[in-house]
Amino acid sequence: MPQFDPTFFSSQLFWLYVTFILLYVLLSIFAMPKIGGVLEERQRKIDDNLDKAAQLKAEAETAIAVYEKALADSRAEAHQLLRSSGEALAKQAEARQKELGERLADQIKAGEARIVAAKDQALAQVRDVASDVAKMAAAKLTGITLDDAKVGLAVTSAMQERR
Amino acid sequence: MASPVEQFKIEPLVPLDIGGVNISFTNSALLMVVSVCLVTTFLTLSVRGRALIPGRWQSMAEVLYEFTANMIRDNVGSQGRKYFPFIFTLFMFVLFGNLLGMIPFSFTYTSHIIVTFGLAIVVFVGVTIIGFMHHGLGYLRMFFPHGAPLATALILVPIELISYCSRPFSLAIRLFANMTVGHIILQVMAGFVISLGAFYVLPGIVPMAFLGGITVLEFGIALLQAYVFTILSCIYLHDAIHMH
């Protein structure tokens, strides 16, 4: 096998170390800093973007919190307004009803008084008429002129009996 | 038909001699230079755009870079960062040596034991120096496991010593043997295709199918062996820095 022929061992080792050292130097100077730089830059950019995303997320969350608070506040306010106006309306309605009731009661009372008055008047007229009729009937039938006071008394008692 | 080991023959392209030492520029040296040029060009040009979203070439360069970086982080730890350029160079040098060897009629410098041993001995010597730098003479405890009874030292120390010193050989022979055997199989199989196919087309198809499969396998082995060589170097480095 040519691998075990020592003729070119020295040449092989010499060129191996020359090329290896050359490659080491070339890679250390040119290639590796470049690749490392690209990778580092990408990592930094990714981290930056992640930071920015986190910041935006926090901002969005604050905005949401503010919005929700405003919503809750206005809801509470609306509720309060609804309740207070409802109460006011109920009070007003009650007051009006009471007033109406009072007025109706007054009117009823007045009506009743008028009825009583009319009845008394009517009854008084009936007695007068009855006394006149009784007096005239007595005069016509018996020819006796009765005393007004006596006839009135008799008619009144009769009416009281009939009632 | 050429012998299956003909492909490993070293041809001097420019004969050179310094003080009686043969340093001829050979086909093997040519492939090493080609691999240095390709690796440097590939890794430099691919990231020239510095694209935030990488294209195909930049992705490949980044994957190789991060793969090696992760390998060191997982196997050596944070103290291994210093040795990243060396490990990365080692990985790329072996990987491209293996892959360039898959081009027909080219040359596989990693199929030469002296080359793989040259790399392995650098790892071995380097790791040993790093071990002594980190632990001073305490690094010698490496050869005597913690908690073992003192009486067993007579047996354990020679065993540990032998196992430690055989590392560069196992490292070198593993890569060399894998590459050599793979290429011999490819050569033999290709010889069958030609010699059988010369008579009838049909019998030539069988070794041709084998050849296709083995070529795919060899590409896998080229990647795998470069990875194995590198990760074993990382593990040795870990042992030197953290001991057992």
Side-chain angles (χ1 to χ4, degrees), chain A residues 1-4 7-17 19-20 22-24 26-27 31-32 34-36 38-39 41-42 45, chain B residues 5 8 10 22-25 28-29 32 36 40 50-52 54 58 62 65-66 85-86 88-89 93 111-112 115 118 122 180:
Chain A
M1 273 174 109
Q3 281 98 324
F4 299 120
T7 322
F8 289 101
F9 275 10
S10 52
S11 148
Q12 288 273 59
L13 284 178
F14 174 77
W15 287 105
L16 168 67
Y17 291 134
T19 50
F20 191 85
L22 185 67
L23 185 64
Y24 182 89
L26 286 173
L27 289 190
M32 279 190 269
K34 252 187 188 166
I35 303 175
V38 168
L39 292 174
E41 199 176 317
R42 179 173 313 139
K45 210 153 233 171
Chain B
V5 293
F8 304 115
I10 291 171
N22 178 8
I23 56 158
S24 305
F25 190 77
S28 171
M32 290 178 194
V36 167
T40 310
R50 308 180 66 89
L52 190 65
Q58 191 180 328
E62 283 176 8
Y65 184 94
E66 290 203 305
F86 175 78
F88 190 52
T89 308
F93 193 79
S111 69
H112 274 256
V115 174
V122 169
T180 304

Short mmCIF file of all heavy atoms in Angstrom, two decimals, chain A residues 1-4 7-17 19-20 22-24 26-27 31-32 34-36 38-39 41-42 45, chain B residues 5 8 10 22-25 28-29 32 36 40 50-52 54 58 62 65-66 85-86 88-89 93 111-112 115 118 122 180:
data_model
loop_
_atom_site.label_atom_id
_atom_site.label_comp_id
_atom_site.label_asym_id
_atom_site.label_seq_id
_atom_site.Cartn_x
_atom_site.Cartn_y
_atom_site.Cartn_z
N MET A 1 0.84 -1.21 0.00
CA MET A 1 0.00 0.00 0.00
C MET A 1 0.87 1.25 0.00
O MET A 1 1.81 1.35 0.80
CB MET A 1 -0.88 0.00 1.26
CG MET A 1 -2.18 -0.76 1.07
SD MET A 1 -3.05 -0.83 2.62
CE MET A 1 -4.38 0.29 2.29
N PRO A 2 0.53 2.21 -0.82
CA PRO A 2 1.37 3.43 -0.89
C PRO A 2 1.36 4.21 0.43
O PRO A 2 2.27 4.99 0.68
CB PRO A 2 0.71 4.26 -1.99
CG PRO A 2 -0.20 3.32 -2.71
CD PRO A 2 -0.58 2.26 -1.76
N GLN A 3 0.32 3.96 1.26
CA GLN A 3 0.24 4.71 2.52
C GLN A 3 1.40 4.39 3.46
O GLN A 3 1.74 5.21 4.31
CB GLN A 3 -1.07 4.36 3.27
CG GLN A 3 -2.27 5.07 2.74
CD GLN A 3 -3.05 4.21 1.78
OE1 GLN A 3 -2.46 3.43 1.03
NE2 GLN A 3 -4.36 4.34 1.80
N PHE A 4 1.98 3.20 3.30
CA PHE A 4 3.05 2.81 4.24
C PHE A 4 4.43 3.00 3.66
O PHE A 4 5.41 2.59 4.24
CB PHE A 4 2.83 1.36 4.68
CG PHE A 4 1.51 1.18 5.39
CD1 PHE A 4 0.55 0.30 4.89
CD2 PHE A 4 1.23 1.90 6.54
CE1 PHE A 4 -0.66 0.16 5.54
CE2 PHE A 4 0.02 1.74 7.19
CZ PHE A 4 -0.94 0.88 6.69
N THR A 7 8.59 7.24 1.77
CA THR A 7 9.27 8.21 0.91
C THR A 7 8.70 9.61 1.04
O THR A 7 9.43 10.59 1.11
CB THR A 7 9.15 7.79 -0.58
OG1 THR A 7 9.25 6.38 -0.65
CG2 THR A 7 10.20 8.47 -1.43
N PHE A 8 7.35 9.69 1.08
CA PHE A 8 6.72 11.01 1.05
C PHE A 8 6.18 11.44 2.43
O PHE A 8 5.43 12.39 2.51
CB PHE A 8 5.59 11.03 0.01
CG PHE A 8 6.10 10.99 -1.39
CD1 PHE A 8 6.09 9.81 -2.11
CD2 PHE A 8 6.63 12.14 -1.98
CE1 PHE A 8 6.58 9.77 -3.41
CE2 PHE A 8 7.12 12.10 -3.28
CZ PHE A 8 7.09 10.91 -3.99
N PHE A 9 6.57 10.71 3.49
CA PHE A 9 6.09 11.08 4.83
C PHE A 9 6.44 12.52 5.18
O PHE A 9 5.60 13.29 5.65
CB PHE A 9 6.67 10.13 5.90
CG PHE A 9 5.86 8.87 6.06
CD1 PHE A 9 4.85 8.56 5.17
CD2 PHE A 9 6.13 7.98 7.10
CE1 PHE A 9 4.11 7.40 5.31
CE2 PHE A 9 5.38 6.82 7.26
CZ PHE A 9 4.37 6.52 6.36
N SER A 10 7.70 12.89 4.93
CA SER A 10 8.14 14.24 5.29
C SER A 10 7.37 15.27 4.47
O SER A 10 6.91 16.29 5.00
CB SER A 10 9.64 14.39 5.08
OG SER A 10 9.97 13.97 3.77
N SER A 11 7.22 14.99 3.19
CA SER A 11 6.48 15.91 2.32
C SER A 11 5.03 16.03 2.77
O SER A 11 4.48 17.14 2.87
CB SER A 11 6.57 15.41 0.88
OG SER A 11 5.40 15.75 0.18
N GLN A 12 4.43 14.88 3.09
CA GLN A 12 3.02 14.89 3.53
C GLN A 12 2.85 15.74 4.80
O GLN A 12 1.95 16.57 4.87
CB GLN A 12 2.56 13.46 3.84
CG GLN A 12 2.38 12.59 2.63
CD GLN A 12 1.00 12.74 2.05
OE1 GLN A 12 0.61 13.83 1.67
NE2 GLN A 12 0.26 11.65 1.96
N LEU A 13 3.74 15.49 5.78
CA LEU A 13 3.62 16.23 7.04
C LEU A 13 3.87 17.72 6.81
O LEU A 13 3.15 18.57 7.34
CB LEU A 13 4.61 15.67 8.08
CG LEU A 13 4.21 14.34 8.71
CD1 LEU A 13 5.29 13.88 9.68
CD2 LEU A 13 2.87 14.47 9.44
N PHE A 14 4.89 18.02 6.00
CA PHE A 14 5.21 19.42 5.74
C PHE A 14 4.00 20.16 5.15
O PHE A 14 3.56 21.19 5.66
CB PHE A 14 6.41 19.52 4.78
CG PHE A 14 6.72 20.91 4.36
CD1 PHE A 14 7.39 21.79 5.20
CD2 PHE A 14 6.34 21.37 3.09
CE1 PHE A 14 7.67 23.08 4.81
CE2 PHE A 14 6.61 22.67 2.69
CZ PHE A 14 7.29 23.54 3.55
N TRP A 15 3.43 19.57 4.11
CA TRP A 15 2.30 20.26 3.45
C TRP A 15 1.04 20.22 4.30
O TRP A 15 0.24 21.16 4.25
CB TRP A 15 2.06 19.67 2.06
CG TRP A 15 3.15 20.10 1.12
CD1 TRP A 15 4.18 19.35 0.65
CD2 TRP A 15 3.33 21.41 0.58
NE1 TRP A 15 5.01 20.10 -0.14
CE2 TRP A 15 4.50 21.38 -0.20
CE3 TRP A 15 2.63 22.61 0.69
CZ2 TRP A 15 4.99 22.50 -0.87
CZ3 TRP A 15 3.11 23.72 0.02
CH2 TRP A 15 4.28 23.67 -0.76
N LEU A 16 0.90 19.16 5.08
CA LEU A 16 -0.24 19.11 6.00
C LEU A 16 -0.20 20.30 6.96
O LEU A 16 -1.18 21.03 7.11
CB LEU A 16 -0.23 17.80 6.80
CG LEU A 16 -1.18 17.74 8.00
CD1 LEU A 16 -2.63 17.77 7.54
CD2 LEU A 16 -0.94 16.50 8.84
N TYR A 17 0.98 20.50 7.60
CA TYR A 17 1.04 21.58 8.59
C TYR A 17 0.98 22.95 7.93
O TYR A 17 0.34 23.86 8.47
CB TYR A 17 2.29 21.41 9.48
CG TYR A 17 2.16 20.20 10.38
CD1 TYR A 17 3.20 19.29 10.54
CD2 TYR A 17 0.96 19.94 11.05
CE1 TYR A 17 3.07 18.17 11.34
CE2 TYR A 17 0.82 18.83 11.85
CZ TYR A 17 1.87 17.94 12.00
OH TYR A 17 1.71 16.84 12.79
N THR A 19 -0.61 23.78 5.10
CA THR A 19 -1.98 24.08 4.69
C THR A 19 -2.90 24.22 5.90
O THR A 19 -3.78 25.08 5.92
CB THR A 19 -2.53 23.00 3.75
OG1 THR A 19 -2.31 21.72 4.36
CG2 THR A 19 -1.87 23.04 2.42
N PHE A 20 -2.65 23.39 6.93
CA PHE A 20 -3.53 23.46 8.11
C PHE A 20 -3.38 24.81 8.82
O PHE A 20 -4.38 25.45 9.17
CB PHE A 20 -3.21 22.31 9.07
CG PHE A 20 -4.23 22.16 10.16
CD1 PHE A 20 -5.38 21.42 9.93
CD2 PHE A 20 -4.05 22.76 11.39
CE1 PHE A 20 -6.34 21.28 10.92
CE2 PHE A 20 -5.01 22.63 12.38
CZ PHE A 20 -6.14 21.88 12.14
N LEU A 22 -2.30 27.53 7.46
CA LEU A 22 -2.85 28.53 6.55
C LEU A 22 -4.37 28.61 6.71
O LEU A 22 -4.95 29.70 6.83
CB LEU A 22 -2.48 28.16 5.11
CG LEU A 22 -2.89 29.16 4.04
CD1 LEU A 22 -2.09 30.44 4.20
CD2 LEU A 22 -2.65 28.59 2.65
N LEU A 23 -5.00 27.45 6.72
CA LEU A 23 -6.46 27.42 6.86
C LEU A 23 -6.88 28.02 8.20
O LEU A 23 -7.84 28.79 8.28
CB LEU A 23 -6.97 25.97 6.76
CG LEU A 23 -8.49 25.82 6.78
CD1 LEU A 23 -9.12 26.48 5.57
CD2 LEU A 23 -8.89 24.35 6.82
N TYR A 24 -6.12 27.66 9.26
CA TYR A 24 -6.42 28.20 10.59
C TYR A 24 -6.39 29.72 10.58
O TYR A 24 -7.30 30.40 11.06
CB TYR A 24 -5.40 27.65 11.59
CG TYR A 24 -5.63 28.09 13.02
CD1 TYR A 24 -6.44 27.35 13.86
CD2 TYR A 24 -5.04 29.24 13.52
CE1 TYR A 24 -6.66 27.75 15.17
CE2 TYR A 24 -5.25 29.65 14.82
CZ TYR A 24 -6.05 28.90 15.64
OH TYR A 24 -6.28 29.30 16.93
N LEU A 26 -6.50 31.78 7.92
CA LEU A 26 -7.52 32.36 7.02
C LEU A 26 -8.90 32.35 7.68
O LEU A 26 -9.63 33.34 7.64
CB LEU A 26 -7.57 31.58 5.71
CG LEU A 26 -6.39 31.82 4.75
CD1 LEU A 26 -6.47 30.87 3.57
CD2 LEU A 26 -6.39 33.27 4.26
N LEU A 27 -9.23 31.22 8.30
CA LEU A 27 -10.55 31.12 8.93
C LEU A 27 -10.66 32.07 10.12
O LEU A 27 -11.68 32.72 10.31
CB LEU A 27 -10.83 29.68 9.37
CG LEU A 27 -11.09 28.67 8.26
CD1 LEU A 27 -11.60 27.36 8.84
CD2 LEU A 27 -12.08 29.19 7.24
N ALA A 31 -13.11 34.24 7.90
CA ALA A 31 -14.41 33.57 7.87
C ALA A 31 -15.14 33.63 9.21
O ALA A 31 -16.30 34.03 9.27
CB ALA A 31 -14.23 32.13 7.42
N MET A 32 -14.43 33.24 10.28
CA MET A 32 -15.15 33.05 11.54
C MET A 32 -15.72 34.33 12.13
O MET A 32 -16.85 34.33 12.61
CB MET A 32 -14.26 32.32 12.54
CG MET A 32 -14.27 30.83 12.26
SD MET A 32 -13.51 29.90 13.53
CE MET A 32 -11.86 29.84 12.93
N LYS A 34 -16.78 36.84 10.58
CA LYS A 34 -17.93 37.21 9.74
C LYS A 34 -19.16 36.39 10.10
O LYS A 34 -20.23 36.93 10.35
CB LYS A 34 -17.58 36.99 8.27
CG LYS A 34 -17.37 38.29 7.52
CD LYS A 34 -17.20 38.01 6.05
CE LYS A 34 -16.79 39.26 5.32
NZ LYS A 34 -16.31 38.95 3.98
N ILE A 35 -18.96 35.06 10.12
CA ILE A 35 -20.12 34.18 10.42
C ILE A 35 -20.62 34.46 11.82
O ILE A 35 -21.81 34.61 12.07
CB ILE A 35 -19.73 32.70 10.25
CG1 ILE A 35 -19.19 32.45 8.86
CG2 ILE A 35 -20.93 31.80 10.50
CD1 ILE A 35 -18.68 31.04 8.64
N GLY A 36 -19.66 34.57 12.76
CA GLY A 36 -20.04 34.85 14.15
C GLY A 36 -20.80 36.16 14.25
O GLY A 36 -21.79 36.27 14.97
N VAL A 38 -22.57 37.67 11.89
CA VAL A 38 -23.91 37.53 11.31
C VAL A 38 -24.85 36.87 12.31
O VAL A 38 -25.97 37.34 12.55
CB VAL A 38 -23.85 36.71 10.01
CG1 VAL A 38 -25.25 36.32 9.56
CG2 VAL A 38 -23.16 37.50 8.91
N LEU A 39 -24.36 35.80 12.94
CA LEU A 39 -25.21 35.07 13.90
C LEU A 39 -25.56 35.95 15.10
O LEU A 39 -26.69 35.97 15.56
CB LEU A 39 -24.49 33.80 14.37
CG LEU A 39 -24.31 32.73 13.30
CD1 LEU A 39 -23.47 31.59 13.82
CD2 LEU A 39 -25.66 32.21 12.84
N GLU A 41 -25.59 39.23 15.21
CA GLU A 41 -26.49 40.30 14.79
C GLU A 41 -27.93 39.80 14.72
O GLU A 41 -28.87 40.47 15.17
CB GLU A 41 -26.05 40.80 13.42
CG GLU A 41 -26.57 42.17 13.06
CD GLU A 41 -26.00 42.62 11.73
OE1 GLU A 41 -24.80 42.42 11.49
OE2 GLU A 41 -26.77 43.12 10.91
N ARG A 42 -28.07 38.61 14.16
CA ARG A 42 -29.42 38.04 14.05
C ARG A 42 -30.03 37.83 15.44
O ARG A 42 -31.17 38.18 15.69
CB ARG A 42 -29.37 36.71 13.29
CG ARG A 42 -30.74 36.09 13.17
CD ARG A 42 -30.73 34.87 12.28
NE ARG A 42 -30.02 35.11 11.06
CZ ARG A 42 -29.20 34.23 10.50
NH1 ARG A 42 -29.01 33.06 11.05
NH2 ARG A 42 -28.58 34.51 9.38
N LYS A 45 -31.05 41.08 16.86
CA LYS A 45 -32.27 41.59 16.22
C LYS A 45 -33.50 40.85 16.75
O LYS A 45 -34.53 41.46 17.03
CB LYS A 45 -32.17 41.41 14.70
CG LYS A 45 -32.92 42.49 13.96
CD LYS A 45 -32.32 42.73 12.59
CE LYS A 45 -32.02 44.19 12.38
NZ LYS A 45 -31.25 44.42 11.17
N VAL B 5 -5.22 -0.26 -4.95
CA VAL B 5 -4.52 0.71 -4.12
C VAL B 5 -3.75 1.73 -4.96
O VAL B 5 -3.10 2.61 -4.42
CB VAL B 5 -3.58 0.02 -3.10
CG1 VAL B 5 -4.39 -0.75 -2.08
CG2 VAL B 5 -2.58 -0.87 -3.79
N PHE B 8 -4.17 5.45 -4.24
CA PHE B 8 -3.57 6.13 -3.09
C PHE B 8 -2.14 6.55 -3.37
O PHE B 8 -1.48 7.08 -2.50
CB PHE B 8 -3.60 5.21 -1.86
CG PHE B 8 -4.99 4.73 -1.53
CD1 PHE B 8 -5.31 3.38 -1.63
CD2 PHE B 8 -5.96 5.63 -1.13
CE1 PHE B 8 -6.59 2.95 -1.32
CE2 PHE B 8 -7.23 5.20 -0.82
CZ PHE B 8 -7.56 3.85 -0.92
N ILE B 10 1.12 8.41 -4.34
CA ILE B 10 1.48 9.82 -4.31
C ILE B 10 2.39 10.14 -5.47
O ILE B 10 3.38 9.45 -5.71
CB ILE B 10 2.16 10.16 -2.96
CG1 ILE B 10 1.13 10.08 -1.85
CG2 ILE B 10 2.78 11.54 -2.99
CD1 ILE B 10 1.71 10.19 -0.48
N ASN B 22 12.66 15.52 2.00
CA ASN B 22 11.78 15.58 0.85
C ASN B 22 10.51 16.34 1.20
O ASN B 22 9.72 15.90 2.02
CB ASN B 22 11.44 14.14 0.42
CG ASN B 22 10.50 14.09 -0.74
OD1 ASN B 22 10.19 15.11 -1.34
ND2 ASN B 22 10.05 12.88 -1.08
N ILE B 23 10.32 17.50 0.58
CA ILE B 23 9.06 18.23 0.79
C ILE B 23 8.40 18.51 -0.56
O ILE B 23 7.81 19.57 -0.77
CB ILE B 23 9.27 19.54 1.58
CG1 ILE B 23 10.30 20.44 0.90
CG2 ILE B 23 9.67 19.28 3.01
CD1 ILE B 23 10.17 21.89 1.30
N SER B 24 8.48 17.55 -1.46
CA SER B 24 7.91 17.72 -2.79
C SER B 24 6.43 18.09 -2.71
O SER B 24 5.69 17.60 -1.86
CB SER B 24 8.03 16.41 -3.58
OG SER B 24 9.36 15.99 -3.60
N PHE B 25 6.06 18.96 -3.65
CA PHE B 25 4.64 19.30 -3.77
C PHE B 25 3.97 18.18 -4.56
O PHE B 25 4.21 18.00 -5.75
CB PHE B 25 4.48 20.64 -4.47
CG PHE B 25 3.08 21.16 -4.42
CD1 PHE B 25 2.57 21.74 -3.26
CD2 PHE B 25 2.24 21.06 -5.54
CE1 PHE B 25 1.28 22.21 -3.21
CE2 PHE B 25 0.93 21.53 -5.48
CZ PHE B 25 0.46 22.11 -4.32
N SER B 28 -1.22 14.94 -3.25
CA SER B 28 -1.84 15.06 -1.93
C SER B 28 -1.79 16.51 -1.45
O SER B 28 -2.80 17.07 -1.00
CB SER B 28 -1.11 14.14 -0.96
OG SER B 28 -1.53 14.37 0.35
N ALA B 29 -0.61 17.14 -1.59
CA ALA B 29 -0.47 18.53 -1.17
C ALA B 29 -1.37 19.43 -2.00
O ALA B 29 -1.97 20.39 -1.48
CB ALA B 29 0.99 18.97 -1.32
N MET B 32 -4.74 19.31 -0.60
CA MET B 32 -4.81 20.08 0.65
C MET B 32 -4.97 21.56 0.34
O MET B 32 -5.79 22.26 0.97
CB MET B 32 -3.55 19.86 1.48
CG MET B 32 -3.43 18.47 2.07
SD MET B 32 -1.88 18.33 2.98
CE MET B 32 -1.77 16.57 3.19
N VAL B 36 -8.09 24.01 1.27
CA VAL B 36 -7.94 25.28 2.00
C VAL B 36 -8.63 26.40 1.22
O VAL B 36 -9.40 27.20 1.78
CB VAL B 36 -6.45 25.61 2.22
CG1 VAL B 36 -6.30 27.06 2.69
CG2 VAL B 36 -5.84 24.67 3.23
N THR B 40 -12.01 28.32 2.57
CA THR B 40 -11.94 29.76 2.82
C THR B 40 -12.92 30.51 1.92
O THR B 40 -13.67 31.38 2.38
CB THR B 40 -10.51 30.26 2.58
OG1 THR B 40 -9.62 29.42 3.29
CG2 THR B 40 -10.36 31.68 3.07
N ARG B 50 -24.23 39.06 4.43
CA ARG B 50 -24.65 39.25 5.83
C ARG B 50 -26.16 39.31 5.94
O ARG B 50 -26.72 40.18 6.62
CB ARG B 50 -24.04 40.53 6.42
CG ARG B 50 -22.55 40.63 6.26
CD ARG B 50 -22.05 41.92 6.86
NE ARG B 50 -22.23 41.92 8.29
CZ ARG B 50 -21.34 41.45 9.15
NH1 ARG B 50 -20.23 40.94 8.71
NH2 ARG B 50 -21.57 41.47 10.44
N ALA B 51 -26.84 38.41 5.23
CA ALA B 51 -28.29 38.46 5.17
C ALA B 51 -28.89 38.07 6.51
O ALA B 51 -28.40 37.18 7.18
CB ALA B 51 -28.81 37.52 4.08
N LEU B 52 -29.96 38.77 6.86
CA LEU B 52 -30.66 38.45 8.11
C LEU B 52 -31.35 37.10 7.96
O LEU B 52 -31.33 36.27 8.87
CB LEU B 52 -31.69 39.54 8.40
CG LEU B 52 -32.32 39.46 9.78
CD1 LEU B 52 -31.28 39.68 10.85
CD2 LEU B 52 -33.43 40.48 9.90
N PRO B 54 -30.85 33.92 5.91
CA PRO B 54 -29.78 33.39 5.07
C PRO B 54 -30.29 32.66 3.83
O PRO B 54 -31.35 32.05 3.86
CB PRO B 54 -29.05 32.43 6.01
CG PRO B 54 -30.05 32.05 7.03
CD PRO B 54 -30.97 33.22 7.18
N GLN B 58 -25.25 30.68 2.65
CA GLN B 58 -25.03 31.23 3.99
C GLN B 58 -25.56 30.26 5.05
O GLN B 58 -24.95 30.08 6.10
CB GLN B 58 -25.72 32.59 4.09
CG GLN B 58 -25.30 33.34 5.35
CD GLN B 58 -25.97 34.68 5.46
OE1 GLN B 58 -26.26 35.34 4.48
NE2 GLN B 58 -26.21 35.11 6.69
N GLU B 62 -23.46 28.75 8.09
CA GLU B 62 -23.93 28.96 9.46
C GLU B 62 -24.16 27.63 10.18
O GLU B 62 -23.85 27.49 11.36
CB GLU B 62 -25.22 29.78 9.46
CG GLU B 62 -24.98 31.24 9.21
CD GLU B 62 -26.26 32.02 9.11
OE1 GLU B 62 -27.33 31.45 9.39
OE2 GLU B 62 -26.18 33.20 8.75
N TYR B 65 -20.85 26.19 11.19
CA TYR B 65 -20.29 26.99 12.28
C TYR B 65 -21.00 26.67 13.60
O TYR B 65 -20.37 26.38 14.62
CB TYR B 65 -20.46 28.47 11.92
CG TYR B 65 -19.85 29.46 12.89
CD1 TYR B 65 -18.58 29.97 12.68
CD2 TYR B 65 -20.57 29.93 13.98
CE1 TYR B 65 -18.03 30.90 13.55
CE2 TYR B 65 -20.04 30.86 14.84
CZ TYR B 65 -18.77 31.34 14.62
OH TYR B 65 -18.24 32.26 15.48
N GLU B 66 -22.33 26.70 13.55
CA GLU B 66 -23.09 26.47 14.78
C GLU B 66 -22.98 25.03 15.25
O GLU B 66 -22.97 24.75 16.44
CB GLU B 66 -24.56 26.85 14.57
CG GLU B 66 -24.73 28.33 14.43
CD GLU B 66 -26.14 28.78 14.78
OE1 GLU B 66 -27.07 28.23 14.17
OE2 GLU B 66 -26.28 29.65 15.64
N PRO B 85 -11.60 28.05 17.17
CA PRO B 85 -10.98 28.17 15.83
C PRO B 85 -10.22 26.91 15.42
O PRO B 85 -10.31 26.47 14.27
CB PRO B 85 -10.05 29.36 15.98
CG PRO B 85 -10.61 30.16 17.08
CD PRO B 85 -11.23 29.17 18.03
N PHE B 86 -9.50 26.33 16.37
CA PHE B 86 -8.74 25.13 16.03
C PHE B 86 -9.68 23.97 15.67
O PHE B 86 -9.51 23.30 14.66
CB PHE B 86 -7.83 24.72 17.19
CG PHE B 86 -7.13 23.42 16.94
CD1 PHE B 86 -6.02 23.37 16.12
CD2 PHE B 86 -7.60 22.23 17.51
CE1 PHE B 86 -5.38 22.16 15.86
CE2 PHE B 86 -6.97 21.02 17.25
CZ PHE B 86 -5.85 20.99 16.43
N PHE B 88 -12.76 24.08 14.70
CA PHE B 88 -13.48 24.36 13.46
C PHE B 88 -12.59 24.10 12.25
O PHE B 88 -13.01 23.47 11.26
CB PHE B 88 -13.97 25.81 13.48
CG PHE B 88 -14.93 26.14 12.37
CD1 PHE B 88 -16.05 25.36 12.14
CD2 PHE B 88 -14.71 27.25 11.56
CE1 PHE B 88 -16.94 25.67 11.14
CE2 PHE B 88 -15.60 27.55 10.54
CZ PHE B 88 -16.71 26.77 10.33
N THR B 89 -11.33 24.55 12.33
CA THR B 89 -10.38 24.32 11.23
C THR B 89 -10.19 22.82 11.02
O THR B 89 -10.21 22.32 9.88
CB THR B 89 -9.03 24.98 11.55
OG1 THR B 89 -9.26 26.33 11.90
CG2 THR B 89 -8.09 24.91 10.36
N PHE B 93 -11.13 20.91 7.65
CA PHE B 93 -10.00 20.30 6.91
C PHE B 93 -10.28 18.82 6.66
O PHE B 93 -10.11 18.33 5.54
CB PHE B 93 -8.72 20.48 7.73
CG PHE B 93 -7.46 20.18 6.96
CD1 PHE B 93 -6.95 21.12 6.07
CD2 PHE B 93 -6.79 18.98 7.12
CE1 PHE B 93 -5.79 20.86 5.36
CE2 PHE B 93 -5.64 18.71 6.41
CZ PHE B 93 -5.13 19.65 5.53
N SER B 111 -6.96 9.55 3.49
CA SER B 111 -6.77 8.10 3.44
C SER B 111 -5.31 7.75 3.66
O SER B 111 -4.92 6.60 3.49
CB SER B 111 -7.25 7.56 2.09
OG SER B 111 -6.37 8.01 1.08
N HIS B 112 -4.50 8.74 4.04
CA HIS B 112 -3.09 8.47 4.30
C HIS B 112 -2.82 8.53 5.79
O HIS B 112 -3.10 9.54 6.44
CB HIS B 112 -2.22 9.47 3.52
CG HIS B 112 -1.96 8.99 2.14
ND1 HIS B 112 -0.77 8.44 1.74
CD2 HIS B 112 -2.78 8.92 1.06
CE1 HIS B 112 -0.85 8.07 0.48
NE2 HIS B 112 -2.06 8.35 0.03
N VAL B 115 -1.00 11.45 7.30
CA VAL B 115 -1.75 12.71 7.41
C VAL B 115 -2.68 12.66 8.63
O VAL B 115 -2.70 13.59 9.45
CB VAL B 115 -2.56 12.96 6.12
CG1 VAL B 115 -3.45 14.19 6.30
CG2 VAL B 115 -1.62 13.15 4.95
N GLY B 118 -0.63 12.82 11.63
CA GLY B 118 -0.12 14.18 11.81
C GLY B 118 -1.16 15.06 12.50
O GLY B 118 -0.82 15.87 13.37
N VAL B 122 -1.16 16.27 16.76
CA VAL B 122 -1.32 17.68 17.15
C VAL B 122 -2.39 17.76 18.25
O VAL B 122 -2.20 18.43 19.27
CB VAL B 122 -1.72 18.54 15.93
CG1 VAL B 122 -2.15 19.92 16.38
CG2 VAL B 122 -0.58 18.65 14.95
N THR B 180 -9.64 4.59 3.48
CA THR B 180 -8.96 3.65 2.59
C THR B 180 -9.89 2.53 2.16
O THR B 180 -10.04 2.25 0.97
CB THR B 180 -7.73 3.06 3.33
OG1 THR B 180 -6.92 4.13 3.75
CG2 THR B 180 -6.95 2.15 2.42
#
